[in-house]
Amino acid sequence: MRGARRVDLRHPDVLGDLPDHDGLLSPEALDAAFAEDLRAAAERRGLRIAFAADTHLHADFLSGAVQLGHDTGATILASAAGRRAFDHQRLADGAEVDLGGLTLHALATPGHTDEHLSFLLLDGARELGVFTGGSLIVNSAARTDLLGTDRTEELARAQYRSLKRLTALPDATAVWPTHGAGSFCSAPPGTERTTTIGAQKQANPLLAAPDENAFVAQLTASLGTYPTYFGRLGEINRRGPAVLTAEPALPGLTVRQVRALMADGAYVVDVRPAADYATGHVPSSLSIPLRDQFATWLGWLLPHPPPLAFVAGEDQDLSEVAWQAHKIGYERLAGRLTGGMTAWLADGNAQATTAFLTAHRAVGRPYVDVRQEAEFTAGHVPGAVHIELGALTESAADAPTGPVVACGHGERAMTAASLLERAGHTDIAVLDGGPADYTAAHGQKLAQGTEDTRS
């Protein structure tokens, strides 16, 4: 179905650590695209995929377990408490599965979700490692508010008990989490990919909490915002995502077709790098540069949208655009503008531009920071107006006139600028860089903590 792809860092490729045998555990909750990655990785190692194990009904992407089962005949392993509506082997706490030389032992570890399971990999009686899913994360733990704020504390207490259970394993036990760097499911966001139980006892600040109440207070205080589409994917994963029988595609669209789609309410999403969008773009189009976080921002900013038309650069991977859209359930992909901006201009259409300024040139403008709260608190430009990108659609009126919009590098800031332009703002500039670049250029020092700077 597909060629080689980058592996999402949220899903560890542990195949190289498994001995050659017919039973193979897949990292949990892979979307359909990464199910194909897993198949390719198994083929390279001469392995057969026999099982696909889901640790929990996650909400960040569509699960690829059903796709993997369809494509390979693998048995899907999942918690009986999850009430999944597709064929799978229902596991309760303590259940064991023979992998053909190794054993998979299910551990009930609720907290991130009610039905969460971790999977302990055993070689006889020896613990090789544990797939902790959305429970224990490197120097962190998974958030407990995705099932509603009214259950956050209850699930945080369950998470405390689950982590205690996991850290009772031998110190040398490898830890293979599902969520990692950049995941909105981590609280606070994790940075490393794998670890050991012993290392976490020494380094994880949540495990250093003196008691359950302190743990709950510490974990819940670290919870930031998360994408709005998380609210619907858990139920889709419980029912079972649709199986893909062909690779998602983006057919070519003429300029006339794109204009007709826009007239009918479709969104135009420009996936080119921020600098290219700044030079010239379709008016009212949304800038979301194609990168690992593309699907997250697409789903957050365009909640289950009307049809999507895309503008891409000549050298960009259109299949990557389609796959990332599909893995969050966005299937109404009208196509991409054939010939890109060259064709748009050749047809006599106007283009919009956005100033993309270096720190030295970004003077005399209010500074709007669209990063996450944790990033802002860690260090920001003094006097900056802070509006998270995910909240900008509803908070566009809070943005000052003629701002320079900034994030860490420029990608999110360009997305923010495109949202502000759609909301009617004019004279917007984007900082090519981040707060450290700005303060260095203007003889300032980064401020820390929070401050109420909205006008």
Side-chain angles (χ1 to χ4, degrees), residues 225 297 367-381 386-390 406-409 412 434-436 446-447:
T225 55
W297 292 114
Y367 189 104
V368 176
D369 191 324
V370 298
R371 296 175 300 156
Q372 299 301 109
E373 182 177 358
E375 297 173 277
F376 182 82
T377 301
H380 59 268
V381 171
H386 181 223
I387 309 175
E388 285 192 9
L389 175 56
C407 57
H409 303 283
R412 283 176 290 174
L446 291 174

PDB file of all heavy atoms in Angstrom, residues 225 297 367-381 386-390 406-409 412 434-436 446-447:
ATOM      1  N   THR A 225      -3.909  22.314  27.906  1.00  0.00           N
ATOM      2  CA  THR A 225      -4.976  22.079  26.949  1.00  0.00           C
ATOM      3  C   THR A 225      -4.618  20.918  26.024  1.00  0.00           C
ATOM      4  O   THR A 225      -3.466  20.505  25.925  1.00  0.00           O
ATOM      5  CB  THR A 225      -5.232  23.341  26.114  1.00  0.00           C
ATOM      6  OG1 THR A 225      -3.993  23.749  25.507  1.00  0.00           O
ATOM      7  CG2 THR A 225      -5.753  24.469  26.991  1.00  0.00           C
ATOM      8  N   TRP A 297      -2.729  19.687  14.552  1.00  0.00           N
ATOM      9  CA  TRP A 297      -3.253  21.038  14.364  1.00  0.00           C
ATOM     10  C   TRP A 297      -4.408  21.066  13.384  1.00  0.00           C
ATOM     11  O   TRP A 297      -5.337  21.871  13.527  1.00  0.00           O
ATOM     12  CB  TRP A 297      -2.132  21.979  13.940  1.00  0.00           C
ATOM     13  CG  TRP A 297      -1.160  22.188  15.052  1.00  0.00           C
ATOM     14  CD1 TRP A 297       0.149  21.805  15.099  1.00  0.00           C
ATOM     15  CD2 TRP A 297      -1.438  22.792  16.332  1.00  0.00           C
ATOM     16  NE1 TRP A 297       0.695  22.128  16.315  1.00  0.00           N
ATOM     17  CE2 TRP A 297      -0.250  22.742  17.095  1.00  0.00           C
ATOM     18  CE3 TRP A 297      -2.577  23.363  16.899  1.00  0.00           C
ATOM     19  CZ2 TRP A 297      -0.165  23.240  18.386  1.00  0.00           C
ATOM     20  CZ3 TRP A 297      -2.508  23.864  18.186  1.00  0.00           C
ATOM     21  CH2 TRP A 297      -1.314  23.800  18.918  1.00  0.00           C
ATOM     22  N   TYR A 367       3.582  41.994  20.830  1.00  0.00           N
ATOM     23  CA  TYR A 367       4.102  40.632  20.672  1.00  0.00           C
ATOM     24  C   TYR A 367       3.036  39.643  21.159  1.00  0.00           C
ATOM     25  O   TYR A 367       2.631  39.675  22.319  1.00  0.00           O
ATOM     26  CB  TYR A 367       5.383  40.486  21.488  1.00  0.00           C
ATOM     27  CG  TYR A 367       6.174  39.206  21.282  1.00  0.00           C
ATOM     28  CD1 TYR A 367       7.339  39.214  20.527  1.00  0.00           C
ATOM     29  CD2 TYR A 367       5.760  38.005  21.846  1.00  0.00           C
ATOM     30  CE1 TYR A 367       8.084  38.054  20.343  1.00  0.00           C
ATOM     31  CE2 TYR A 367       6.488  36.840  21.677  1.00  0.00           C
ATOM     32  CZ  TYR A 367       7.654  36.867  20.918  1.00  0.00           C
ATOM     33  OH  TYR A 367       8.392  35.718  20.741  1.00  0.00           O
ATOM     34  N   VAL A 368       2.570  38.778  20.264  1.00  0.00           N
ATOM     35  CA  VAL A 368       1.562  37.769  20.604  1.00  0.00           C
ATOM     36  C   VAL A 368       2.214  36.396  20.578  1.00  0.00           C
ATOM     37  O   VAL A 368       2.731  35.959  19.540  1.00  0.00           O
ATOM     38  CB  VAL A 368       0.363  37.807  19.635  1.00  0.00           C
ATOM     39  CG1 VAL A 368      -0.618  36.682  19.955  1.00  0.00           C
ATOM     40  CG2 VAL A 368      -0.338  39.152  19.711  1.00  0.00           C
ATOM     41  N   ASP A 369       2.203  35.703  21.702  1.00  0.00           N
ATOM     42  CA  ASP A 369       2.825  34.387  21.854  1.00  0.00           C
ATOM     43  C   ASP A 369       1.725  33.325  21.818  1.00  0.00           C
ATOM     44  O   ASP A 369       0.821  33.334  22.647  1.00  0.00           O
ATOM     45  CB  ASP A 369       3.578  34.336  23.192  1.00  0.00           C
ATOM     46  CG  ASP A 369       4.476  33.125  23.337  1.00  0.00           C
ATOM     47  OD1 ASP A 369       4.095  32.044  22.855  1.00  0.00           O
ATOM     48  OD2 ASP A 369       5.560  33.255  23.948  1.00  0.00           O
ATOM     49  N   VAL A 370       1.795  32.390  20.860  1.00  0.00           N
ATOM     50  CA  VAL A 370       0.726  31.401  20.697  1.00  0.00           C
ATOM     51  C   VAL A 370       1.145  30.008  21.164  1.00  0.00           C
ATOM     52  O   VAL A 370       0.478  29.016  20.862  1.00  0.00           O
ATOM     53  CB  VAL A 370       0.245  31.339  19.227  1.00  0.00           C
ATOM     54  CG1 VAL A 370      -0.325  32.682  18.800  1.00  0.00           C
ATOM     55  CG2 VAL A 370       1.364  30.894  18.280  1.00  0.00           C
ATOM     56  N   ARG A 371       2.223  29.904  21.907  1.00  0.00           N
ATOM     57  CA  ARG A 371       2.668  28.601  22.394  1.00  0.00           C
ATOM     58  C   ARG A 371       1.767  28.090  23.527  1.00  0.00           C
ATOM     59  O   ARG A 371       0.918  28.812  24.055  1.00  0.00           O
ATOM     60  CB  ARG A 371       4.122  28.696  22.890  1.00  0.00           C
ATOM     61  CG  ARG A 371       5.133  29.032  21.797  1.00  0.00           C
ATOM     62  CD  ARG A 371       6.525  29.221  22.394  1.00  0.00           C
ATOM     63  NE  ARG A 371       6.540  30.311  23.364  1.00  0.00           N
ATOM     64  CZ  ARG A 371       7.417  30.426  24.351  1.00  0.00           C
ATOM     65  NH1 ARG A 371       8.356  29.491  24.517  1.00  0.00           N
ATOM     66  NH2 ARG A 371       7.374  31.454  25.176  1.00  0.00           N
ATOM     67  N   GLN A 372       1.983  26.826  23.919  1.00  0.00           N
ATOM     68  CA  GLN A 372       1.249  26.255  25.044  1.00  0.00           C
ATOM     69  C   GLN A 372       1.640  26.961  26.342  1.00  0.00           C
ATOM     70  O   GLN A 372       2.733  27.534  26.450  1.00  0.00           O
ATOM     71  CB  GLN A 372       1.532  24.762  25.164  1.00  0.00           C
ATOM     72  CG  GLN A 372       1.127  23.929  23.952  1.00  0.00           C
ATOM     73  CD  GLN A 372      -0.350  24.030  23.646  1.00  0.00           C
ATOM     74  OE1 GLN A 372      -0.740  24.641  22.659  1.00  0.00           O
ATOM     75  NE2 GLN A 372      -1.169  23.449  24.495  1.00  0.00           N
ATOM     76  N   GLU A 373       0.760  26.892  27.324  1.00  0.00           N
ATOM     77  CA  GLU A 373       0.986  27.604  28.577  1.00  0.00           C
ATOM     78  C   GLU A 373       2.297  27.200  29.235  1.00  0.00           C
ATOM     79  O   GLU A 373       3.021  28.050  29.773  1.00  0.00           O
ATOM     80  CB  GLU A 373      -0.171  27.363  29.545  1.00  0.00           C
ATOM     81  CG  GLU A 373      -0.033  28.123  30.856  1.00  0.00           C
ATOM     82  CD  GLU A 373      -1.209  27.947  31.780  1.00  0.00           C
ATOM     83  OE1 GLU A 373      -2.169  27.254  31.388  1.00  0.00           O
ATOM     84  OE2 GLU A 373      -1.179  28.493  32.903  1.00  0.00           O
ATOM     85  N   ALA A 374       2.612  25.900  29.231  1.00  0.00           N
ATOM     86  CA  ALA A 374       3.852  25.455  29.870  1.00  0.00           C
ATOM     87  C   ALA A 374       5.072  26.078  29.194  1.00  0.00           C
ATOM     88  O   ALA A 374       6.046  26.441  29.860  1.00  0.00           O
ATOM     89  CB  ALA A 374       3.944  23.934  29.835  1.00  0.00           C
ATOM     90  N   GLU A 375       5.033  26.205  27.877  1.00  0.00           N
ATOM     91  CA  GLU A 375       6.134  26.835  27.157  1.00  0.00           C
ATOM     92  C   GLU A 375       6.236  28.314  27.520  1.00  0.00           C
ATOM     93  O   GLU A 375       7.322  28.845  27.739  1.00  0.00           O
ATOM     94  CB  GLU A 375       5.924  26.697  25.649  1.00  0.00           C
ATOM     95  CG  GLU A 375       5.918  25.280  25.115  1.00  0.00           C
ATOM     96  CD  GLU A 375       5.539  25.245  23.650  1.00  0.00           C
ATOM     97  OE1 GLU A 375       4.339  25.260  23.343  1.00  0.00           O
ATOM     98  OE2 GLU A 375       6.456  25.239  22.804  1.00  0.00           O
ATOM     99  N   PHE A 376       5.097  28.977  27.552  1.00  0.00           N
ATOM    100  CA  PHE A 376       5.061  30.404  27.860  1.00  0.00           C
ATOM    101  C   PHE A 376       5.601  30.665  29.266  1.00  0.00           C
ATOM    102  O   PHE A 376       6.413  31.565  29.488  1.00  0.00           O
ATOM    103  CB  PHE A 376       3.630  30.922  27.739  1.00  0.00           C
ATOM    104  CG  PHE A 376       3.477  32.398  27.994  1.00  0.00           C
ATOM    105  CD1 PHE A 376       3.744  33.323  27.001  1.00  0.00           C
ATOM    106  CD2 PHE A 376       3.055  32.862  29.228  1.00  0.00           C
ATOM    107  CE1 PHE A 376       3.601  34.678  27.224  1.00  0.00           C
ATOM    108  CE2 PHE A 376       2.909  34.220  29.468  1.00  0.00           C
ATOM    109  CZ  PHE A 376       3.180  35.137  28.464  1.00  0.00           C
ATOM    110  N   THR A 377       5.156  29.848  30.216  1.00  0.00           N
ATOM    111  CA  THR A 377       5.580  30.028  31.603  1.00  0.00           C
ATOM    112  C   THR A 377       7.083  29.837  31.756  1.00  0.00           C
ATOM    113  O   THR A 377       7.737  30.536  32.542  1.00  0.00           O
ATOM    114  CB  THR A 377       4.826  29.040  32.517  1.00  0.00           C
ATOM    115  OG1 THR A 377       3.420  29.268  32.386  1.00  0.00           O
ATOM    116  CG2 THR A 377       5.223  29.215  33.969  1.00  0.00           C
ATOM    117  N   ALA A 378       7.640  28.908  30.985  1.00  0.00           N
ATOM    118  CA  ALA A 378       9.068  28.612  31.096  1.00  0.00           C
ATOM    119  C   ALA A 378       9.942  29.762  30.623  1.00  0.00           C
ATOM    120  O   ALA A 378      11.083  29.898  31.068  1.00  0.00           O
ATOM    121  CB  ALA A 378       9.403  27.347  30.318  1.00  0.00           C
ATOM    122  N   GLY A 379       9.440  30.610  29.743  1.00  0.00           N
ATOM    123  CA  GLY A 379      10.230  31.744  29.273  1.00  0.00           C
ATOM    124  C   GLY A 379       9.556  32.453  28.123  1.00  0.00           C
ATOM    125  O   GLY A 379       9.268  31.838  27.089  1.00  0.00           O
ATOM    126  N   HIS A 380       9.272  33.761  28.297  1.00  0.00           N
ATOM    127  CA  HIS A 380       8.579  34.517  27.254  1.00  0.00           C
ATOM    128  C   HIS A 380       9.081  35.952  27.203  1.00  0.00           C
ATOM    129  O   HIS A 380       9.779  36.433  28.113  1.00  0.00           O
ATOM    130  CB  HIS A 380       7.062  34.493  27.491  1.00  0.00           C
ATOM    131  CG  HIS A 380       6.654  35.069  28.822  1.00  0.00           C
ATOM    132  ND1 HIS A 380       6.509  34.285  29.950  1.00  0.00           N
ATOM    133  CD2 HIS A 380       6.370  36.343  29.215  1.00  0.00           C
ATOM    134  CE1 HIS A 380       6.156  35.045  30.976  1.00  0.00           C
ATOM    135  NE2 HIS A 380       6.058  36.298  30.552  1.00  0.00           N
ATOM    136  N   VAL A 381       8.721  36.632  26.141  1.00  0.00           N
ATOM    137  CA  VAL A 381       9.085  38.041  25.967  1.00  0.00           C
ATOM    138  C   VAL A 381       8.302  38.876  26.981  1.00  0.00           C
ATOM    139  O   VAL A 381       7.082  38.725  27.105  1.00  0.00           O
ATOM    140  CB  VAL A 381       8.773  38.497  24.534  1.00  0.00           C
ATOM    141  CG1 VAL A 381       8.930  40.010  24.394  1.00  0.00           C
ATOM    142  CG2 VAL A 381       9.667  37.769  23.538  1.00  0.00           C
ATOM    143  N   HIS A 386      -0.434  36.512  25.590  1.00  0.00           N
ATOM    144  CA  HIS A 386      -0.414  35.057  25.414  1.00  0.00           C
ATOM    145  C   HIS A 386      -1.800  34.544  25.047  1.00  0.00           C
ATOM    146  O   HIS A 386      -2.749  34.682  25.818  1.00  0.00           O
ATOM    147  CB  HIS A 386       0.062  34.363  26.696  1.00  0.00           C
ATOM    148  CG  HIS A 386       0.132  32.874  26.569  1.00  0.00           C
ATOM    149  ND1 HIS A 386      -0.304  32.008  27.548  1.00  0.00           N
ATOM    150  CD2 HIS A 386       0.586  32.085  25.551  1.00  0.00           C
ATOM    151  CE1 HIS A 386      -0.117  30.772  27.150  1.00  0.00           C
ATOM    152  NE2 HIS A 386       0.422  30.788  25.950  1.00  0.00           N
ATOM    153  N   ILE A 387      -1.921  33.975  23.861  1.00  0.00           N
ATOM    154  CA  ILE A 387      -3.144  33.317  23.407  1.00  0.00           C
ATOM    155  C   ILE A 387      -2.727  32.009  22.753  1.00  0.00           C
ATOM    156  O   ILE A 387      -2.081  32.018  21.695  1.00  0.00           O
ATOM    157  CB  ILE A 387      -3.932  34.168  22.388  1.00  0.00           C
ATOM    158  CG1 ILE A 387      -4.158  35.590  22.896  1.00  0.00           C
ATOM    159  CG2 ILE A 387      -5.273  33.503  22.080  1.00  0.00           C
ATOM    160  CD1 ILE A 387      -4.817  36.504  21.872  1.00  0.00           C
ATOM    161  N   GLU A 388      -3.043  30.889  23.359  1.00  0.00           N
ATOM    162  CA  GLU A 388      -2.658  29.605  22.771  1.00  0.00           C
ATOM    163  C   GLU A 388      -3.267  29.452  21.379  1.00  0.00           C
ATOM    164  O   GLU A 388      -4.406  29.876  21.132  1.00  0.00           O
ATOM    165  CB  GLU A 388      -3.106  28.447  23.659  1.00  0.00           C
ATOM    166  CG  GLU A 388      -2.275  28.254  24.902  1.00  0.00           C
ATOM    167  CD  GLU A 388      -2.570  26.923  25.590  1.00  0.00           C
ATOM    168  OE1 GLU A 388      -3.299  26.086  24.996  1.00  0.00           O
ATOM    169  OE2 GLU A 388      -2.079  26.717  26.708  1.00  0.00           O
ATOM    170  N   LEU A 389      -2.515  28.822  20.486  1.00  0.00           N
ATOM    171  CA  LEU A 389      -2.982  28.629  19.122  1.00  0.00           C
ATOM    172  C   LEU A 389      -4.325  27.901  19.095  1.00  0.00           C
ATOM    173  O   LEU A 389      -5.226  28.262  18.324  1.00  0.00           O
ATOM    174  CB  LEU A 389      -1.938  27.848  18.320  1.00  0.00           C
ATOM    175  CG  LEU A 389      -2.320  27.463  16.895  1.00  0.00           C
ATOM    176  CD1 LEU A 389      -2.716  28.679  16.074  1.00  0.00           C
ATOM    177  CD2 LEU A 389      -1.170  26.711  16.222  1.00  0.00           C
ATOM    178  N   GLY A 390      -4.480  26.888  19.937  1.00  0.00           N
ATOM    179  CA  GLY A 390      -5.722  26.123  19.934  1.00  0.00           C
ATOM    180  C   GLY A 390      -6.938  26.925  20.339  1.00  0.00           C
ATOM    181  O   GLY A 390      -8.071  26.549  20.034  1.00  0.00           O
ATOM    182  N   ALA A 406       4.223  35.037  17.336  1.00  0.00           N
ATOM    183  CA  ALA A 406       5.413  34.206  17.512  1.00  0.00           C
ATOM    184  C   ALA A 406       5.076  32.906  18.218  1.00  0.00           C
ATOM    185  O   ALA A 406       4.093  32.803  18.960  1.00  0.00           O
ATOM    186  CB  ALA A 406       6.476  34.966  18.300  1.00  0.00           C
ATOM    187  N   CYS A 407       5.914  31.913  17.989  1.00  0.00           N
ATOM    188  CA  CYS A 407       5.848  30.642  18.726  1.00  0.00           C
ATOM    189  C   CYS A 407       7.283  30.278  19.077  1.00  0.00           C
ATOM    190  O   CYS A 407       8.030  31.113  19.581  1.00  0.00           O
ATOM    191  CB  CYS A 407       5.142  29.568  17.902  1.00  0.00           C
ATOM    192  SG  CYS A 407       5.879  29.244  16.278  1.00  0.00           S
ATOM    193  N   GLY A 408       7.695  29.036  18.824  1.00  0.00           N
ATOM    194  CA  GLY A 408       9.066  28.649  19.103  1.00  0.00           C
ATOM    195  C   GLY A 408       9.985  28.826  17.920  1.00  0.00           C
ATOM    196  O   GLY A 408      11.178  29.107  18.070  1.00  0.00           O
ATOM    197  N   HIS A 409       9.428  28.655  16.695  1.00  0.00           N
ATOM    198  CA  HIS A 409      10.243  28.739  15.480  1.00  0.00           C
ATOM    199  C   HIS A 409       9.566  29.553  14.382  1.00  0.00           C
ATOM    200  O   HIS A 409      10.236  30.224  13.619  1.00  0.00           O
ATOM    201  CB  HIS A 409      10.557  27.338  14.950  1.00  0.00           C
ATOM    202  CG  HIS A 409      11.255  26.457  15.940  1.00  0.00           C
ATOM    203  ND1 HIS A 409      12.594  26.582  16.233  1.00  0.00           N
ATOM    204  CD2 HIS A 409      10.803  25.441  16.716  1.00  0.00           C
ATOM    205  CE1 HIS A 409      12.933  25.677  17.144  1.00  0.00           C
ATOM    206  NE2 HIS A 409      11.871  24.979  17.461  1.00  0.00           N
ATOM    207  N   ARG A 412       3.836  27.447  14.018  1.00  0.00           N
ATOM    208  CA  ARG A 412       2.552  27.688  14.678  1.00  0.00           C
ATOM    209  C   ARG A 412       2.143  29.151  14.552  1.00  0.00           C
ATOM    210  O   ARG A 412       0.957  29.474  14.438  1.00  0.00           O
ATOM    211  CB  ARG A 412       2.628  27.283  16.152  1.00  0.00           C
ATOM    212  CG  ARG A 412       2.566  25.789  16.408  1.00  0.00           C
ATOM    213  CD  ARG A 412       2.737  25.462  17.882  1.00  0.00           C
ATOM    214  NE  ARG A 412       4.088  25.715  18.359  1.00  0.00           N
ATOM    215  CZ  ARG A 412       4.471  25.625  19.639  1.00  0.00           C
ATOM    216  NH1 ARG A 412       3.568  25.324  20.572  1.00  0.00           N
ATOM    217  NH2 ARG A 412       5.717  25.846  19.994  1.00  0.00           N
ATOM    218  N   GLY A 434      12.018  32.528  17.698  1.00  0.00           N
ATOM    219  CA  GLY A 434      11.285  32.377  18.937  1.00  0.00           C
ATOM    220  C   GLY A 434      11.599  33.462  19.932  1.00  0.00           C
ATOM    221  O   GLY A 434      12.314  34.433  19.616  1.00  0.00           O
ATOM    222  N   PRO A 435      11.107  33.330  21.155  1.00  0.00           N
ATOM    223  CA  PRO A 435      11.291  34.391  22.153  1.00  0.00           C
ATOM    224  C   PRO A 435      12.748  34.660  22.503  1.00  0.00           C
ATOM    225  O   PRO A 435      13.115  35.815  22.758  1.00  0.00           O
ATOM    226  CB  PRO A 435      10.502  33.879  23.356  1.00  0.00           C
ATOM    227  CG  PRO A 435      10.326  32.415  23.128  1.00  0.00           C
ATOM    228  CD  PRO A 435      10.261  32.239  21.656  1.00  0.00           C
ATOM    229  N   ALA A 436      13.568  33.640  22.510  1.00  0.00           N
ATOM    230  CA  ALA A 436      14.988  33.863  22.818  1.00  0.00           C
ATOM    231  C   ALA A 436      15.655  34.711  21.741  1.00  0.00           C
ATOM    232  O   ALA A 436      16.508  35.562  22.040  1.00  0.00           O
ATOM    233  CB  ALA A 436      15.712  32.532  22.974  1.00  0.00           C
ATOM    234  N   LEU A 446      14.397  36.957  29.055  1.00  0.00           N
ATOM    235  CA  LEU A 446      13.127  36.226  29.096  1.00  0.00           C
ATOM    236  C   LEU A 446      12.494  36.355  30.475  1.00  0.00           C
ATOM    237  O   LEU A 446      13.184  36.270  31.500  1.00  0.00           O
ATOM    238  CB  LEU A 446      13.330  34.758  28.742  1.00  0.00           C
ATOM    239  CG  LEU A 446      13.704  34.425  27.294  1.00  0.00           C
ATOM    240  CD1 LEU A 446      14.015  32.942  27.158  1.00  0.00           C
ATOM    241  CD2 LEU A 446      12.564  34.820  26.351  1.00  0.00           C
ATOM    242  N   ALA A 447      11.176  36.548  30.489  1.00  0.00           N
ATOM    243  CA  ALA A 447      10.420  36.543  31.745  1.00  0.00           C
ATOM    244  C   ALA A 447       9.882  35.142  31.963  1.00  0.00           C
ATOM    245  O   ALA A 447       9.653  34.378  31.014  1.00  0.00           O
ATOM    246  CB  ALA A 447       9.276  37.557  31.674  1.00  0.00           C
TER     247      ALA A 447
END
